[in-house]
Amino acid sequence: MIFVPIANIIFSIIALKEFLEKFGKGIGFTIATIFFPFITFPMLAFGDDQFKNE
């Protein structure tokens, strides 16, 4: 992944999307997390959202 920077970014976004789907979040929250992770990650950590391991 280190040799292909564009693929690294794309796969990181896909992994983030899959991670947030486990919390029941949609694409809007994923986009917000890309630009404002310092706001959205504490919302996940200290909010009432539960990780759904399906």
Side-chain angles (χ1 to χ4, degrees), residues 9-21 30:
I9 293 169
I10 292 170
F11 285 118
S12 296
I13 292 172
I14 292 171
L16 178 64
K17 180 183 149 304
E18 294 293 324
F19 175 72
L20 292 174
E21 282 180 352
T30 303

Side-chain angles (χ1 to χ4, degrees), residues 14-36:
I14 292 171
L16 178 64
K17 180 183 149 304
E18 294 293 324
F19 175 72
L20 292 174
E21 282 180 352
K22 295 286 186 173
F23 282 97
K25 301 297 184 183
I27 191 70
F29 199 83
T30 303
I31 293 170
T33 304
I34 292 169
F35 292 109
F36 305 108

Side-chain angles (χ1 to χ4, degrees), residues 32-54:
T33 304
I34 292 169
F35 292 109
F36 305 108
F38 50 88
I39 295 173
T40 55
F41 281 130
M43 287 172 61
L44 284 177
F46 301 115
D48 293 333
D49 299 315
Q50 296 289 318
F51 187 79
K52 299 173 185 91
N53 193 8
E54 298 172 350

